[in-house]
Amino acid sequence: MTMESNNRMIDVRDVHFAYPHNNENESVVALDGVSLHIKKGEFVGIIGHNGSGKSTLSKLLNAIIFPTQGDVIVSGLNTKNHENLWTIRQTAGMVFQNPDNQLVATIVEEDVAFGPENLGVPPQEIRERVDRALAVVEMQAYAHQKPHQLSGGQKQRIAIAGILAMEPECIIFDEPTAMLDPSGRREVMETIKRLNRDKDMTVIHITHFMEEIIAADRIIVLDKGKVVMEGEPRTIFRQVKRLKEIGLDVPQMTELAYELRSEGLKIADDVLSIEEMVDALCQ
Amino acid sequence: MLKDVTIGQYYPTGSVIHKLDPRTKILFTTAFVVMLFFLNNLWGYLATFVILATITLLSKIPVGYIIRGIKGLVLIIMLTVVLNLFMTPGTVVATLGPLTVTLEGLKVATYMALRLIFLVVGTSIMTLTTSPIDLTDGMEWCMRFIPFVRRYAHELAMMMSIALRFIPTLMEETERIMKAQKARGANFETGNIISRAKNLIPILIPLFISAFRRADELATAMEARCYRGGENRTRMKQLAFEFRDGTSLVLMVVMIVGLYLTTMIQIPLLFPV
Ligand SMILES: Nc1ncnc2c1ncn2[C@@H]1O[C@H](COP(=O)(O)OP(=O)(O)OP(=O)(O)O)[C@@H](O)[C@H]1O
Ligand SMILES: [Mg+2]
């Protein structure tokens, strides 16, 4: 193995994927030749219009579905080999959009234990992992509560704890904040960012909220099953017109800067946050 | 209105009964229910009453709470009583127009009513004192000893616990849909049974669609968390028999023998032997 492949978390090589049939009984091409790499410890944002193939891509990374063509390699293991299946699902955890539909147990700590129980971890160690995972998402106080009594943001943090207890190297978030109110969204985003920063967790974050990924290491833009743009947030969001063409927004401040520029104001085109906007305007 | 459903209600008080291993409680309850069907005189029912009263006191659950559980069954109990009272042939003791009450009818009706009440109270003490999780874990263990069911023990227990997990979610959803339909002028409170049933269709259809979507997403989420059935699966919480469970099982044997002995008593109590 070369140094290069050692720090590769995920390798997607020319992947095609088609769903065999939709409601009208015709096959749907969801991914059409996608190649991408994700390094260990990276925070990657994935954006794209509805139906661009984001969820399909995320399920391929977690070996829930398999490429019709091409390879998905997670931590050096090809999802095609059936014997790798459980290691891959343990290595690349996944948090979904609807918090209600991913919690299995009637008590919070039992739910967090579900993953390690499936992996056959010894009871004493499960206990330790559950306590640790709940501490990381700051939900220890709720260990004995019923999930349906929690807020959306809290449920999502429990879902994250459930994945952490499996001790993955990478977590894929498929629009985890889409169904939450602003405060729940903030809670969840803080947790995700903390995991990446303090725990060196590789994070792949799929979202429709551009503000959530202005601090990402890299952004990948999907459109009609293809990677159409890839780069640092600043380089991506600067291309306001191109993003709008494929039906995407930019962060509010980038949008504002764009509007001001088109009104003739001299202002940088890569403003991402309010602070940067203040600086840019005060110059 | 939907909040009144009491299936699997758990009433924690931290009593000794609550602390018993769920398997002990399941075994005890099963023995109790089986014994109920052997009783053939009021001495037995008297003994059963004493046993139930003792357990209720030990469990620290308010008696009123337990009685509320019987209320839902009043109709069934009444029906059984009335049918047995008038339909059993034997020595006539009273006539009400075309209907006759026999001594045998009186006896059977009383026994049936007591049996039903004790059955409901006995089983509800089990569910009231055992958390749903412990109950399913206990059932999974017990099912391992039943031929044919054994192979599906894990799956059945998993289904039960998922059902318990989703009952509150689906109830909230039902209420939300009902409110939405009411806002559009739907009427669930008036009209005859048939029109009321028809009015439920606009609730049931969205509810079913959503339930299937939930099931699909849940299955994906479970797979993503490496779920692959019961094989090689471990549990965080292990069931463990304690000293008090041993004591209870001894008491269970005493109960079985005691109740069996009451069936041999030849002294009449209220009814002839
Ligand atoms: N189970 C399925 N069966 C058939 N077609 C599907 C299925 N799931 C998705 N598709 C189709 O595949 C394409 C990609 O869908 P995908 O869910 O990956 O998009 P997405 O980018 O996640 O969209 P969204 O932003 O709405 O979540 C869409 O055209 C969609 O209609
Ligand atoms: Mg999606």
Side-chain angles (χ1 to χ4, degrees):
Chain A
M1 257 194 204
T2 59
M3 271 302 281
E4 172 88 31
S5 64
N6 267 339
N7 76 38
R8 279 279 165 82
M9 184 68 243
I10 288 171
D11 229 333
V12 176
R13 296 179 189 155
D14 191 30
V15 162
H16 296 252
F17 184 86
Y19 288 100
H21 44 76
N22 63 1
N23 295 340
E24 277 87 46
N25 238 332
E26 47 209 3
S27 98
V28 185
V29 177
L31 291 180
D32 190 12
V34 168
S35 293
L36 51 91
H37 315 291
I38 287 163
K39 289 200 286 278
K40 286 202 169 125
E42 226 183 346
F43 189 128
V44 176
I46 297 184
I47 55 177
H49 194 61
N50 291 337
S52 57
K54 306 182 296 295
S55 296
T56 308
L57 177 63
S58 72
K59 284 182 189 148
L60 283 161
L61 302 183
N62 183 254
I64 298 279
I65 53 177
F66 306 93
T68 22
Q69 200 187 311
D71 295 287
V72 175
I73 290 140
V74 178
S75 197
L77 303 173
N78 196 320
T79 60
K80 265 187 191 149
N81 298 342
H82 196 77
E83 63 265 32
N84 294 338
L85 189 68
W86 306 107
T87 321
I88 289 172
R89 289 186 185 169
Q90 182 262 318
T91 311
M94 180 128 171
V95 175
F96 298 87
Q97 184 180 93
N98 189 330
D100 275 323
N101 299 351
Q102 54 186 321
L103 300 182
V104 188
T106 39
I107 301 285
V108 165
E109 62 172 15
E110 294 277 341
D111 188 83
V112 178
F114 182 74
E117 285 180 340
N118 292 334
L119 294 171
V121 174
Q124 185 51 43
E125 197 190 328
I126 301 182
R127 180 79 261 171
E128 288 159 18
R129 286 189 185 198
V130 168
D131 292 342
R132 241 181 292 142
L134 283 172
V136 172
V137 300
E138 294 172 347
M139 288 292 287
Q140 303 107 303
Y142 299 85
H144 300 285
Q145 293 248 0
K146 294 178 182 155
H148 72 96
Q149 294 166 335
L150 305 177
S151 73
Q154 289 173 329
K155 282 184 209 167
Q156 230 27 342
R157 277 149 69 198
I158 296 305
I160 296 174
I163 299 302
L164 287 177
M166 295 170 68
E167 306 195 328
E169 293 171 38
C170 159
I171 306 185
I172 302 140
F173 294 90
D174 189 357
E175 301 192 39
T177 55
M179 300 181 73
L180 307 180
D181 58 16
S183 73
R185 196 178 302 154
R186 206 174 319 119
E187 275 170 38
V188 170
M189 278 322 292
E190 269 163 22
T191 311
I192 298 177
K193 285 178 184 162
R194 192 147 34 84
L195 284 177
N196 177 252
R197 186 165 19 95
D198 303 344
K199 307 271 165 204
D200 267 336
M201 187 69 71
T202 309
V203 168
I204 299 169
H205 183 61
I206 300 174
T207 188
H208 277 294
F209 299 103
M210 304 304 156
E211 266 75 16
E212 292 176 358
I213 47 168
I214 52 183
D217 294 314
R218 201 148 51 94
I219 291 178
I220 294 170
V221 186
L222 287 183
D223 187 41
K224 303 196 182 76
K226 287 192 163 77
V227 174
V228 289
M229 291 158 90
E230 189 177 344
E232 284 182 10
R234 221 168 279 282
T235 1
I236 298 290
F237 289 131
R238 171 182 282 159
Q239 308 173 51
V240 180
K241 246 178 102 187
R242 178 116 185 265
L243 287 171
K244 293 206 174 215
E245 274 164 19
I246 53 176
L248 289 172
D249 283 330
V250 295
Q252 279 176 351
M253 288 304 133
T254 317
E255 169 97 45
L256 182 59
Y258 175 76
E259 297 292 337
L260 291 172
R261 275 169 66 84
S262 57
E263 294 294 323
L265 201 76
K266 275 184 106 183
I267 191 167
D269 60 355
D270 58 355
V271 178
L272 292 177
S273 62
I274 296 183
E275 293 80 43
E276 289 181 16
M277 179 55 102
V278 172
D279 287 347
L281 288 175
C282 293
Q283 261 160 30
Chain B
M1 57 180 262
L2 290 163
K3 300 254 155 66
D4 299 336
V5 178
T6 55
I7 302 167
Q9 278 253 10
Y10 174 47
Y11 193 103
T13 66
S15 76
V16 234
I17 306 286
H18 287 74
K19 288 195 193 107
L20 286 175
D21 190 285
R23 293 169 293 181
T24 311
K25 286 185 262 191
I26 293 172
L27 276 176
F28 204 106
T29 314
T30 314
F32 174 81
V33 169
V34 171
M35 285 317 289
L36 271 183
F37 288 89
F38 279 104
L39 301 181
N40 62 358
N41 60 40
L42 277 184
W43 295 109
Y45 287 103
L46 199 67
T48 317
F49 177 77
V50 173
I51 295 170
L52 271 185
T54 317
I55 295 174
T56 310
L57 284 180
L58 283 175
S59 74
K60 296 186 185 148
I61 292 172
V63 180
Y65 202 84
I66 294 176
I67 292 176
R68 223 188 299 162
I70 313 175
K71 271 195 193 157
L73 287 147
V74 165
L75 208 69
I76 296 177
I77 296 175
M78 296 270 272
L79 200 71
T80 339
V81 167
V82 169
L83 283 180
N84 280 300
L85 202 57
F86 297 116
M87 308 297 260
T88 320
T91 335
V92 178
V93 289
T95 10
L96 293 157
L99 299 170
T100 54
V101 179
T102 63
L103 186 63
E104 283 75 10
L106 217 54
K107 186 165 140 183
V108 174
T110 315
Y111 290 0
M112 276 313 259
L114 289 174
R115 204 172 277 170
L116 277 174
I117 292 170
F118 290 163
L119 187 95
V120 173
V121 172
T123 45
S124 61
I125 287 177
M126 177 175 77
T127 52
L128 287 168
T129 60
T130 318
S131 78
I133 286 193
D134 285 345
L135 202 61
T136 38
D137 282 355
M139 284 184 168
E140 180 170 357
W141 188 88
C142 293
M143 281 190 286
R144 284 197 235 144
F145 297 92
I146 310 172
F148 305 114
V149 178
R150 178 187 304 151
R151 309 175 44 184
Y152 309 104
H154 168 76
E155 281 74 11
L156 287 168
M158 181 56 78
M159 276 161 61
M160 239 176 328
S161 75
I162 289 178
L164 285 168
R165 153 75 186 81
F166 277 91
I167 285 172
T169 308
L170 290 176
M171 281 196 187
E172 274 166 31
E173 181 141 43
T174 313
E175 249 152 50
R176 210 174 45 238
I177 297 173
M178 275 179 111
K179 276 190 196 135
Q181 303 289 25
K182 269 188 198 162
R184 291 177 195 155
N187 181 356
F188 305 114
E189 268 93 33
T190 55
N192 61 26
I193 290 194
I194 295 178
S195 72
R196 274 200 221 187
K198 261 192 200 157
N199 287 342
L200 283 179
I201 293 173
I203 295 177
L204 290 179
I205 289 175
L207 191 65
F208 267 87
I209 291 173
S210 133
F212 279 110
R213 204 198 55 234
R214 283 183 194 283
D216 188 41
E217 287 184 17
L218 183 72
T220 310
M222 284 171 75
E223 269 187 49
R225 288 167 79 181
C226 292
Y227 180 67
R228 53 193 129 164
E231 256 171 80
N232 300 327
R233 199 164 186 268
T234 47
R235 300 303 310 271
M236 176 169 71
K237 289 194 182 136
Q238 305 292 93
L239 294 175
F241 282 121
E242 307 269 339
F243 184 71
R244 53 175 171 260
D245 295 294
T247 322
S248 314
L249 292 173
V250 170
L251 288 174
M252 180 182 87
V253 175
V254 174
M255 174 186 79
I256 295 173
V257 174
L259 288 180
Y260 184 69
L261 289 178
T262 64
T263 61
M264 303 188 180
I265 299 176
Q266 296 298 321
I267 312 153
L269 180 68
L270 221 55
F271 299 107
V273 232

